[in-house]
Amino acid sequence: MGSGCNRKAAHASTGYLRRASWVRSPYGPETQAALEAIAANLGQAGLGMGDVVKCDVFLADIADFAAVNAVYGRFMPDPPPARSTVGVAALPKGGLVEIEAIARRDR
């Protein structure tokens, strides 16, 4: 897998934690790497994938949705969080997929 980038931001007043991740590699491994990075970032905040309430998935080629969805399904709980998936003209650093996850900490 190629080099990656993680972004993270938290909004303390709402208890929501926002994570986004992208790396450069083929769709399946790129999706897995992005979701592993999100899971690790959430873990550092004491959260897990079960705390994710919404994901936004950006694909450089929407025709590869099935490959991304197959990996995505292995990481998400049942029922999965809300999700939007869109095809885009380009992603930062030539990435193929970018996934943004918003998680909520129950108080």
Side-chain angles (χ1 to χ4, degrees), residues 60-100:
D61 186 349
I62 197 70
D64 289 309
F65 174 78
V68 172
N69 196 50
V71 176
Y72 181 89
R74 292 195 311 258
F75 279 83
M76 293 301 166
D78 187 29
R83 175 179 64 175
S84 297
T85 303
V86 295
V88 297
L91 288 169
K93 300 186 181 217
L96 299 175
V97 61
E98 181 172 341
I99 300 172
E100 179 177 277

Side-chain angles (χ1 to χ4, degrees), residues 3-96:
S3 63
C5 179
N6 292 320
R7 296 180 296 174
K8 52 188 169 183
H11 192 291
S13 65
T14 63
Y16 280 88
L17 183 65
R18 180 178 173 204
R19 303 281 186 201
S21 179
W22 69 85
V23 294
R24 190 173 183 186
S25 63
Y27 273 95
E30 182 169 337
T31 303
Q32 181 167 332
L35 290 167
E36 286 173 349
I38 289 169
N41 286 331
L42 291 171
Q44 291 174 359
L47 299 170
M49 296 302 263
D51 297 306
V52 173
V53 295
K54 173 75 166 74
C55 283
D56 293 312
V57 180
F58 304 93
L59 303 176
D61 186 349
I62 197 70
D64 289 309
F65 174 78
V68 172
N69 196 50
V71 176
Y72 181 89
R74 292 195 311 258
F75 279 83
M76 293 301 166
D78 187 29
R83 175 179 64 175
S84 297
T85 303
V86 295
V88 297
L91 288 169
K93 300 186 181 217
L96 299 175

